């Protein structure tokens, strides 16, 4: 079995590196998602066009190849990136492109009548975006952002091939050193799952708060009391309609 | 009268305060098409300041289109609209009329308020902020001032206790009364009302109409309204315009139009809705 010393010198720091890469790439990706997503709704065709070009290019690009390119090819142009930043940039740029589609789509899904109400109150376009459209689009963005964030988390394993010592990197080292392939990769699977699970939990919380912020009641999932009470209500409604007949 | 009563129109900021009876709105040869469907065909009409004008006419005759053109939610294909003597969506440059920029449009548009059939309250804001946001952000009122005014307006529409509710927690009639308060908070000179009770359950209609009657009788705000509530139209209107096929078929006092219309078309329409 793996030694506890190996675990603390490689695996624990590896988990931390995976978390860091995820957080930094998510921050970069979110900035790009909103920047490009908003630019794609611009009234100026040139802004829309350039943002659309960014989206098409980075959506069609392999994050892994981009990472290689940033790590191995960029130095030829006199730009040597620390491996972790090459990884973070490549992930942030590609996942940001996907995210921009979420932002654009959610904004487009805001009821046109809301925009009209904003015009009738003489808001500027930016005021409408800031006060009406973005706050209403935000709860719709959270679930797809959750999916994307989990994709990103799993995508961070790619950084191990450019020598960033994340948990996949640590797992590979351990496998080479001990030949304990099955337990090592099982542990890795479980770790990614646990991190993804934590992300989902966190995003649920974000979603609930976002929905409360637009006056929607948060969906109650599970919880025996809520099930009992909704059952009670439907029973009551049933008896009422039965009585009315 | 104190300048702070919620119902009073505040035109102090205007360089040309309209004299009573002066022309507030003028449509000049306005044409609007949707594809090959000519909805308004060189429409001319005007509304005098302070008057309550009701538009009636069969479905599809272009009543909504007129209000949406005025609110700049639609663009006319030809012709011009003036508000207080200023072009709404045009500017004069070197003696030529050109499409106006956003700044000009907003300057003229600030005189116009609108209440929609479907209320269109902002679901992400509580009732009070629905009313205060535009006065604070657009007019630059202080938050306290806007809050106080909003509460006065809420009292006026009978919803003083709902300031902290979200719109989804209100009935349709309550939402529509908030929407009326929200429009009034901007102190527009003219209020556009497009079938504001037709999305409501029948028992909620009266409450909204009472609020509008109150506004019509106690303020000097100009009203341009589209409604199928003929009794309400009779109560508040100074003038009724009968539309058909994008033209004003006839116009007159409510007594004249409802009692003794000139055109058979008007008579048919009224007998169908009354
Ligand atoms: N966005 C649009 N696209 C295409 N046609 C439209 C559009 N809006 C309105 N129309 C058409 O314009 C005509 C006038 O519509 P408008 O809504 O102004 O009528 P209205 O008098 O308000 O009718 P109603 O009493 O039913 O509300 C109708 O024939 C309608 O089909
Ligand atoms: Mg209509």
């Amino acid at each position: 079995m793996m030694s506890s010393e190996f675990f603390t010198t490689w695996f624990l720091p590896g988990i931390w590196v995976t978390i860091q890469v995820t957080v930094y790439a998510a921050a970069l990706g979110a900035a790009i998602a909103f920047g490009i997503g908003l630019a794609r709704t611009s009234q100026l065709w040139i802004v829309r066009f350039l943002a659309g070009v960014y989206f098409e290019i980075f959506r069609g690009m392999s994050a892994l190849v981009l990472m290689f390119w940033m790590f191995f090819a960029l130095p030829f142009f006199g730009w040597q990136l620390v491996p972790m930043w090459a990884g973070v940039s490549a992930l942030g740029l590609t996942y940001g492109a996907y995210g921009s589609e979420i932002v654009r789509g959610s904004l487009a899904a805001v009821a046109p009548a809301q925009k009209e109400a904003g015009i009738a109150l003489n808001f500027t376009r930016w005021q409408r975006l800031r006060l009406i459209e973005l706050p209403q689009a935000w709860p719709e963005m959270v679930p797809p952002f959750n999916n994307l964030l989990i994709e990103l988390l799993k995508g961070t394993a790619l950084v191990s091939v450019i020598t960033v010592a994340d948990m996949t990197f640590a797992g590979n080292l351990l496998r080479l050193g001990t030949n304990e392939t099955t337990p090592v990769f099982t542990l890795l699977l479980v770790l990614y799952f646990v991190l993804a699970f934590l992300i989902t939990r966190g995003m649920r919380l974000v979603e609930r708060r976002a929905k409360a912020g637009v006056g929607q009641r948060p969906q109650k999932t599970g919880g025996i009391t809520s099930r009992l009470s909704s059952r009670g209500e439907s029973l009551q409604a049933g008896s009422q309609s039965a009585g009315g007949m | 009268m104190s300048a702070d009563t919620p119902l009073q129109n505040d035109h102090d900021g205007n360089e040309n305060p309209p004299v009573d009876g002066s022309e507030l709105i003028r449509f000049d040869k306005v044409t609007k098409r949707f594809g090959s469907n000519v909805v308004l065909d060189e429409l001319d009409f005007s509304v005098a300041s302070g008057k309550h004008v009701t538009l009636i006419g069969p479905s599809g005759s272009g009543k909504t289109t007129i209000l949406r053109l005025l609110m700049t939610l639609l663009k006319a294909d030809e012709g011009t609209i003036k508000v207080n003597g200023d072009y709404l969506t045009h500017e004069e440059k070197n003696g030529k009329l050109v499409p106006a920029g956003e700044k000009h449009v907003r300057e003229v548009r600030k005189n116009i308020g609108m209440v929609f059939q479907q209320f269109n309250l902002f679901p992400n804001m509580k009732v009070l902020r629905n009313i205060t946001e535009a006065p604070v952000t657009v007019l630059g009122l202080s938050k306290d001032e806007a809050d106080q005014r909003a509460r006065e307006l809420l009292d006026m529409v009978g919803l003083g206790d709902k300031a902290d509710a979200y719109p989804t927690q209100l009935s349709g009639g309550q939402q529509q009364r908030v929407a009326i308060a929200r429009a009034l908070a901007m102190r527009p000179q003219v209020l556009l009302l497009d079938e504001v009770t037709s999305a409501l359950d029948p028992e909620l209609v009266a409450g909204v109409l009472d609020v509008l009657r109150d506004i019509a009788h106690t303020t000097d705000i100009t009203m341009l309204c589209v409604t199928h509530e003929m009794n309400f139209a009779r109560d508040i209107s100074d003038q009724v315009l009968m539309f058909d096929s994008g033209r004003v078929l006839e116009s007159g006092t409510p007594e004249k139009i409802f009692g003794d219309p000139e055109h058979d078309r008007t008579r048919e329409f009224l007998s169908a809705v009354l």
Side-chain angles (χ1 to χ4, degrees):
Chain A
M1 263 330 283
M2 81 180 84
S3 68
S4 67
E5 190 199 341
F6 190 93
F7 193 83
T8 46
T9 48
W10 286 102
F11 238 107
L12 281 184
I15 296 173
W16 177 233
V17 168
T18 293
I19 292 173
Q20 274 180 302
V21 172
T22 307
V23 168
Y24 294 145
L28 176 62
I32 289 172
F34 278 94
I36 297 294
L38 288 179
R40 289 177 68 198
T41 67
S42 170
Q43 286 171 313
L44 299 173
W45 73 267
I46 183 73
V47 175
R48 274 201 314 276
F49 174 76
L50 291 176
V53 167
Y54 177 94
F55 171 66
E56 289 299 342
I57 288 179
F58 281 89
R59 181 175 64 164
M61 209 175 268
S62 154
L64 179 60
V65 177
L66 182 62
M67 213 177 279
F68 277 142
W69 190 86
M70 291 192 142
F71 188 57
F72 295 113
L74 214 50
F76 285 107
F77 301 96
W79 243 34
Q80 179 76 61
L81 286 183
V82 179
M84 178 147 120
W85 292 117
V88 164
S89 309
L91 290 168
L93 290 170
T94 27
Y95 284 84
Y98 294 126
S100 77
E101 184 64 6
I102 296 175
V103 172
R104 190 198 62 76
S106 314
L107 282 174
V110 173
Q114 288 291 310
K115 179 185 163 187
E116 293 178 353
I119 292 175
L121 290 167
N122 222 2
F123 288 115
T124 63
R125 192 183 123 75
W126 272 107
Q127 289 166 348
R128 289 201 306 269
L129 200 59
R130 180 165 60 83
L131 299 165
I132 303 164
E133 292 162 41
L134 272 175
Q136 290 181 32
W138 170 240
E140 304 307 312
M141 295 181 201
V142 178
F145 270 147
N146 179 31
N147 287 337
L148 196 58
L149 196 52
I150 287 168
E151 287 299 321
L152 172 63
L153 165 73
K154 295 185 290 187
T156 59
L158 295 176
V159 299
S160 63
V161 301
I162 55 166
T163 74
V164 180
D166 74 332
M167 59 194 201
T168 300
F169 188 85
N172 258 322
L173 274 191
L174 184 55
R175 180 182 62 89
L176 292 172
T178 63
N179 266 335
E180 301 258 23
T181 304
T182 310
V184 167
F185 282 122
T186 307
L187 176 62
L188 266 184
L189 281 178
V190 170
L191 281 174
Y192 277 108
F193 171 78
V194 168
L195 288 180
F197 183 76
L198 291 177
I199 288 175
T200 299
R201 283 280 120 191
M203 291 298 266
R204 276 275 165 71
L205 217 66
V206 174
E207 187 185 354
R208 201 165 300 174
R209 289 189 50 176
K211 287 227 163 113
V214 293
Q216 292 179 18
R217 231 154 294 196
Q219 284 173 337
K220 292 224 174 79
T221 48
I224 188 119
T225 45
S226 70
R227 266 183 236 172
L228 279 176
S229 70
S230 67
R231 195 171 136 74
E233 271 163 28
S234 61
L235 277 178
Q236 216 175 359
S239 67
Q240 266 171 5
S241 63
M245 271 190 248
Chain B
M1 213 195 295
S2 138
D4 286 323
T5 52
L7 292 175
Q8 196 190 7
N9 253 318
D10 179 14
H11 302 149
D12 297 349
N14 266 337
E15 288 140 42
N16 306 314
V19 195
D20 186 50
S22 74
E23 195 171 84
L24 180 59
I25 293 166
R26 163 158 289 285
F27 276 55
D28 198 7
K29 291 200 167 40
V30 172
T31 297
K32 177 67 195 171
R33 302 182 203 96
F34 291 107
S36 61
N37 179 8
V38 183
V39 177
L40 302 181
D41 185 12
E42 303 206 334
L43 174 72
D44 289 320
F45 92 102
S46 64
V47 176
S49 182
K51 297 291 184 213
H52 308 142
V53 177
T54 300
L55 309 181
I56 61 171
S59 181
S61 58
K63 306 179 297 291
T64 295
T65 303
I66 290 171
L67 298 195
R68 291 171 60 81
L69 282 167
L70 255 174
M71 200 65 258
T72 68
L73 304 176
L74 285 175
K75 225 172 133 271
D77 295 301
E78 280 149 46
T80 56
I81 300 171
K82 277 184 169 177
V83 177
N84 270 328
D86 295 320
Y87 288 112
L88 179 59
T89 57
H90 294 83
E91 265 171 317
E92 273 170 309
K93 275 212 180 108
N94 311 324
K96 270 173 58 178
L97 273 189
V98 295
E102 171 84 358
K103 190 161 172 278
H104 173 93
V105 173
R106 289 186 70 230
E107 186 60 28
V108 182
R109 187 167 60 198
K110 73 167 194 236
N111 299 308
I112 308 171
M114 183 161 185
V115 180
F116 299 86
Q117 194 172 350
Q118 300 289 347
F119 337 130
N120 302 355
L121 294 179
F122 304 127
N124 56 312
M125 303 179 192
K126 289 182 175 174
V127 163
L128 189 72
R129 209 177 134 222
N130 258 281
I131 304 174
T132 58
E133 188 61 64
V136 170
T137 311
V138 178
L139 302 180
L141 258 61
S142 77
K143 205 179 158 307
D144 286 346
E145 205 178 343
D147 269 12
Q148 193 203 337
R149 227 184 108 65
R151 287 184 192 282
E152 287 168 1
L153 285 164
L154 276 175
D155 283 338
M156 184 195 80
V157 299
L159 295 172
D161 55 338
K162 298 292 185 191
D164 287 323
Y166 275 106
T168 45
Q169 297 166 330
L170 302 183
S171 75
Q174 291 171 329
Q175 290 189 49
Q176 192 59 297
R177 284 184 274 154
V178 173
I180 293 168
R182 180 176 73 172
L184 290 177
M186 294 298 281
R187 302 184 187 227
Q189 279 180 274
V190 56
L191 192 60
L192 311 179
L193 304 156
D194 189 8
E195 299 192 35
V196 296
T197 56
S198 58
L200 298 178
D201 291 337
E203 73 271 21
L204 302 176
V205 170
V208 172
L209 292 183
D210 283 346
V211 166
L212 291 175
R213 270 195 195 93
D214 191 27
I215 294 166
H217 291 143
T218 57
T219 72
D220 57 2
I221 196 166
T222 308
M223 284 180 164
L224 189 52
C225 76
V226 175
T227 182
H228 292 303
E229 301 286 337
M230 293 303 161
N231 285 325
F232 170 74
R234 208 188 308 248
D235 286 354
I236 64 135
S237 305
D238 299 303
Q239 191 186 9
V240 178
L241 299 182
M242 167 74 191
F243 272 85
D244 195 29
S245 316
R247 288 172 171 278
V248 183
L249 189 61
E250 64 179 305
S251 76
T253 61
E255 293 76 26
K256 172 90 175 54
I257 299 290
F258 294 126
D260 180 26
E262 266 168 39
H263 288 258
D264 291 342
R265 198 74 194 82
T266 312
R267 203 161 302 162
E268 281 166 32
F269 170 75
L270 287 173
S271 66
V273 295
L274 281 177

